[in-house]
Amino acid sequence: MKCLIALFITSTVSLEAAPEYAKWGTVVVKETQKRYKADIIDYKHIGRTELTPKK
């Protein structure tokens, strides 16, 4: 029972702590794996660039 509670607390904390870009990172990794037929184990988020209305 203690393991189940610890697992639930751990999974809840990790979901709340995930940054906004994490869900898009998952999508990108899956699509890249399909396109290049490669095993991708990690990626590096390098930030966001805000574009001006002219760009």
Side-chain angles (χ1 to χ4, degrees):
M1 183 68 170
K2 289 181 184 180
C3 291
L4 181 60
I5 293 170
L7 178 62
F8 178 72
I9 291 171
T10 303
S11 64
T12 303
V13 170
S14 64
L15 288 176
E16 291 174 7
E20 180 185 341
Y21 61 82
K23 78 172 182 181
W24 296 112
T26 303
V27 171
V28 170
V29 168
K30 287 180 181 178
E31 290 301 314
T32 304
Q33 285 175 328
K34 284 195 301 190
R35 182 172 184 172
Y36 294 101
K37 296 172 182 49
D39 291 329
I40 300 171
I41 56 170
D42 200 3
Y43 70 98
K44 180 180 178 184
H45 175 71
I46 56 173
R48 169 186 268 179
T49 302
E50 296 292 329
L51 299 177
T52 64
K54 293 182 179 182
K55 290 185 180 180

